[in-house]
Amino acid sequence: MYLVLVYDINMEGNGPKILRNVFKICKKYLTHIQNSVFEGELSEGQMMQLKIEIKQYLREDMDSCIIFKGRNDIWMKKEFVIKEEDKTSTFL
Amino acid sequence: MYLVLVYDINMEGNGPKILRNVFKICKKYLTHIQNSVFEGELSEGQMMQLKIEIKQYLREDMDSCIIFKGRNDIWMKKEFVIKEEDKTSTFL
């Protein structure tokens, strides 16, 4: 199953720490393509595990995270509207 | 054609103003589903027009924007990892 994951972490309170933790977890499972965007191929089990791990950190009333799921990436063309440069892969 | 658009605007310099402008343009063409995430059905021509408009504002070395394109949204299941609440539709 092909996934695109996008999160938005509120920077209030523990925001910066939560962001680092969620980023680290997502990088374990997926490829980082833009600040808050990850993509990759996962099994159902791996996706469940990823969700369990990030849900520990995400704050219901402040943060948000969406996963777009598709059978595979054939349908999906990705286009960088401006220069393709992963400026934050060295985030940590 | 079904699109998911995700942008990341750097808050340095004119960032806040650029964010407002890019947000307004995206809302004209697409549905806002999460802070920096939009989705919707556009023709090739509408997509070209959207890109022209946002490119006026995006700064090559600071901002980034990705468009995921697919024939239609049937392939794509969207899942909100935590409560589905569009907290920023009243962004402006």
Side-chain angles (χ1 to χ4, degrees):
Chain A
M1 181 175 31
Y2 191 79
L3 301 182
V4 172
L5 180 148
V6 186
Y7 56 63
D8 265 295
I9 311 290
N10 187 306
M11 283 299 106
E12 282 174 48
N14 272 335
K17 194 174 161 228
I18 288 168
L19 178 60
R20 271 195 303 277
N21 285 315
V22 171
F23 181 89
K24 256 191 261 177
I25 294 166
C26 290
K27 265 205 116 173
K28 227 173 35 175
Y29 292 91
L30 298 167
T31 305
H32 181 236
I33 52 174
Q34 184 180 287
N35 285 5
S36 56
V37 185
F38 292 76
E39 68 173 349
E41 195 85 30
L42 291 185
S43 67
E44 190 73 35
Q46 288 170 317
M47 189 187 70
M48 298 297 284
Q49 188 54 31
L50 164 61
K51 286 197 298 185
I52 289 167
E53 291 185 39
I54 57 178
K55 272 184 173 176
Q56 295 169 53
Y57 295 100
L58 295 172
R59 297 159 299 182
E60 186 90 22
D61 55 343
M62 297 173 106
D63 305 322
S64 48
C65 178
I66 301 180
I67 294 177
F68 297 93
K69 294 177 278 189
R71 260 157 291 152
N72 49 50
D73 66 345
I74 295 172
W75 84 277
M76 214 182 66
K77 287 194 195 57
K78 182 177 62 200
E79 179 185 339
F80 289 84
V81 175
I82 47 175
K83 197 165 50 68
E84 179 188 333
E85 198 199 317
D86 180 4
K87 293 179 273 287
T88 57
S89 201
T90 55
F91 181 84
L92 303 176
Chain B
M1 179 174 35
Y2 192 80
L3 300 183
V4 172
L5 180 148
V6 187
Y7 57 63
D8 266 295
I9 310 289
N10 187 306
M11 282 298 105
E12 282 173 47
N14 272 334
K17 194 172 164 231
I18 288 169
L19 178 60
R20 272 195 302 277
N21 286 314
V22 170
F23 180 87
K24 256 191 263 178
I25 294 167
C26 290
K27 265 204 119 176
K28 229 174 30 174
Y29 291 93
L30 298 168
T31 305
H32 181 235
I33 52 173
Q34 184 181 289
N35 287 6
S36 57
V37 186
F38 291 77
E39 67 173 350
E41 194 84 31
L42 291 185
S43 68
E44 190 72 35
Q46 287 170 315
M47 191 185 70
M48 299 296 284
Q49 188 54 32
L50 164 61
K51 286 196 299 186
I52 290 166
E53 289 184 39
I54 56 178
K55 273 185 173 175
Q56 296 169 50
Y57 295 101
L58 294 172
R59 296 159 299 182
E60 187 91 19
D61 55 343
M62 299 173 100
D63 305 323
S64 49
C65 178
I66 301 179
I67 294 177
F68 297 93
K69 294 178 279 188
R71 261 158 289 152
N72 48 50
D73 67 345
I74 294 171
W75 85 278
M76 212 181 67
K77 286 196 196 56
K78 181 177 62 201
E79 179 184 338
F80 289 85
V81 175
I82 49 174
K83 200 163 50 66
E84 178 188 332
E85 199 197 318
D86 180 4
K87 292 180 272 292
T88 58
S89 202
T90 53
F91 180 83
L92 303 176

